[in-house]
Amino acid sequence: MALFITEDCINCDACISECPNNAIYEPDQEWSYSDETSLSGTVTMPNGAEVDADEEKEPISDEFYFIVPDKCTECKGFHDKPQCASVCPVDACLIDPEHEETEAQLLEKKEWLHGA
């Protein structure tokens, strides 16, 4: 499952540098799939949809830090547990029940983001 950041977030910035997928953004920040990944141009997502990896997307939150679900892999392939949740001083990084994924799907997403 991807993680999400709750409204309890105090915008401390601890989580951003811990994310190996650059899936965490500041409030009101535009984002793209290509941000610090190997993606560029038109790409096919693991779910089969085609997207422009370089296109700037609208922020998911304008109040607190947010995690892009399509870029979150729960740190699979990098760490034993999600690093954002490990460093969050207010426990605002939680499993997102709306984005359930198996470990195999998370590892496939990691490969999609960063190449083999």
Side-chain angles (χ1 to χ4, degrees):
M1 290 190 215
L3 279 81
F4 76 106
I5 299 176
T6 70
E7 62 187 26
D8 295 332
C9 176
I10 58 172
N11 295 329
C12 71
D13 201 22
C15 57
I16 285 189
S17 63
E18 297 298 322
C19 183
N21 300 310
N22 197 47
I24 304 173
Y25 292 84
E26 294 180 16
D28 212 26
Q29 182 181 1
E30 291 184 341
W31 63 275
S32 72
Y33 290 105
S34 65
D35 292 337
E36 300 196 30
T37 69
S38 64
L39 302 175
S40 182
T42 301
V43 297
T44 303
M45 297 176 62
N47 67 9
E50 284 195 357
V51 295
D52 179 353
D54 302 309
E55 178 185 357
E56 292 290 314
K57 307 282 188 189
E58 291 294 316
I60 293 174
S61 173
D62 62 358
E63 298 177 36
F64 44 86
Y65 284 75
F66 61 89
I67 297 173
V68 175
D70 287 336
K71 292 181 75 176
C72 179
T73 64
E74 282 186 50
C75 296
K76 296 290 183 192
F78 295 102
H79 304 285
D80 292 335
K81 57 186 176 179
Q83 297 301 289
C84 59
S86 296
V87 299
C88 183
V90 294
D91 296 326
C93 299
L94 304 176
I95 296 291
D96 186 349
E98 294 186 25
H99 294 96
E100 292 188 32
E101 297 167 293
T102 65
E103 184 170 346
Q105 289 170 313
L106 293 168
L107 289 169
E108 178 184 11
K109 190 187 321 180
K110 177 210 176 261
E111 284 191 34
W112 174 69
L113 290 166
H114 302 286

